[in-house]
Amino acid sequence: MRKKIVAANWKMNKTLQEGEALVKSILSGSTNSEDITKIIFPPSLFIPDFVSLVKENASFSVGAQNCYHTEVGAFTGEISASAIASCGAKYVIIGHSERREYFKETPQQLLTKIQLALIHGLTPVFCVGEKLPDRKSNHYFSAVKQQLSDVVFLLPEEMFSKLILAYEPVWAIGTGETATPEQAQEMHAFIRFAIEEKYNKDVAKQISVLYGGSCNAKNAKELFACADVDGGLIGGASLVAEDFLQIVNSF
Ligand code: PEP
């Protein structure tokens, strides 16, 4: 059985006080979803505080939105995988399209980040997704396959099988435009098939692949009903407790 996961990517939103209030509302409104892993990815400064807020709730965890691609050293302002893990976070997002686009992160850097995250016991949530021109020109399968081949398919099976993947079509992130369930399912099935080709059927079957891109309380149910969609990586809609909880209740 693959893990069902709903992850909240808060990006650069909320103060500590606003964030604490949001986490408390989510915790108090959360019912009957013990089998669904909920991960909050707040700004990294809040991690220690949120780890203690969720510690009594086994199905909740905290993660970082990024880590640096070097173990340690003179990189002012950056945060290492070991520092993140030492604060009690369990997950880290790697390769989000905003980081690829605005911070020009390269496949080699992403691979190193994943290796460091795994060394320090963090589970990477690795994001892939085509841009609009690739969707429009019907090159979306090859674009996503390339992102997998350039980074995570370079990992040995025992490392790869520890990952969570997120399919996030760039044209759907923060735009209010969502992939249809058919578009999501065909890409998730494609990703699973690519994993089977590269590794084997067992690995392909056990990897959770999340959908992200304007997933919200209204469309989560039909997206999560797709056979190869194991949950969501949620941006905007994760900033409102009721919406996030409704998404969690959409399986
Ligand atoms: C994201 O940035 O990971 C995301 C899915 O954002 P949104 O839900 O706002 O499209």
Side-chain angles (χ1 to χ4, degrees):
M1 264 294 270
R2 290 194 291 273
K3 255 194 191 173
K4 293 179 189 159
I5 300 165
V6 181
N9 177 12
W10 287 11
K11 312 191 186 190
M12 200 179 72
N13 291 294
K14 304 288 178 193
T15 62
L16 176 60
Q17 293 72 24
E18 290 165 349
E20 281 175 341
L22 177 52
V23 172
K24 285 179 187 163
S25 305
I26 290 171
L27 290 173
S28 66
S30 178
T31 49
N32 295 331
S33 61
E34 254 64 275
D35 60 326
I36 300 164
T37 301
K38 279 84 61 183
I39 313 167
I40 314 281
F41 290 96
S44 287
L45 281 172
F46 309 166
I47 289 173
D49 196 70
F50 286 13
V51 165
S52 60
L53 274 182
V54 306
K55 71 172 184 292
E56 307 297 337
N57 296 265
S59 63
F60 277 86
S61 292
V62 180
Q65 297 171 18
N66 179 38
C67 66
Y68 198 56
H69 57 270
T70 296
E71 178 78 59
V72 69
F75 301 100
T76 302
E78 293 298 335
I79 305 179
S80 68
S82 62
I84 291 165
S86 73
C87 290
K90 300 280 181 244
Y91 297 87
V92 59
I93 298 175
I94 292 178
H96 191 283
S97 60
E98 288 155 12
R99 296 219 52 98
R100 293 179 191 256
E101 175 79 15
Y102 305 141
F103 302 95
K104 308 290 174 230
E105 294 188 347
T106 65
Q108 180 54 53
Q109 289 171 345
L110 300 181
L111 179 61
T112 310
K113 284 169 191 248
I114 289 175
Q115 289 164 332
L116 287 169
L118 289 170
I119 286 169
H120 293 288
L122 297 169
T123 298
V125 177
F126 180 68
C127 303
V128 293
E130 81 283 1
K131 294 182 179 173
L132 190 58
D134 290 326
R135 172 57 58 176
K136 283 193 163 154
S137 62
N138 282 328
H139 288 114
Y140 45 95
F141 287 136
S142 55
V144 167
K145 179 82 179 283
Q146 194 65 50
Q147 291 173 330
L148 293 167
S149 303
D150 285 348
V151 184
V152 287
F153 281 179
L154 299 175
L155 294 167
E157 180 184 327
E158 73 273 17
M159 288 177 99
F160 179 86
S161 55
K162 293 192 173 123
L163 306 181
I164 296 168
L165 300 181
Y167 168 54
E168 299 207 304
V170 178
W171 48 269
I173 295 181
T175 59
E177 195 175 334
T178 319
T180 63
E182 294 72 28
Q183 288 171 324
Q185 170 54 28
E186 80 166 349
M187 182 58 86
H188 283 233
F190 172 78
I191 290 171
R192 222 175 280 292
F193 182 66
I195 297 169
E196 184 179 330
E197 268 189 338
K198 171 68 196 171
Y199 297 97
N200 57 59
K201 219 184 191 82
D202 287 346
V203 178
K205 263 193 356 207
Q206 62 86 24
I207 287 264
S208 293
V209 186
L210 313 183
Y211 170 78
S214 298
C215 181
N216 59 38
K218 289 204 178 84
N219 59 31
K221 213 179 186 75
E222 51 178 9
L223 287 161
F224 294 179
C226 299
D228 288 292
V229 176
D230 304 307
L233 178 53
I234 318 297
S238 71
L239 297 170
V240 177
E242 298 72 40
D243 290 358
F244 183 71
L245 289 167
Q246 207 172 317
I247 295 169
V248 171
N249 291 329
S250 297
F251 284 98

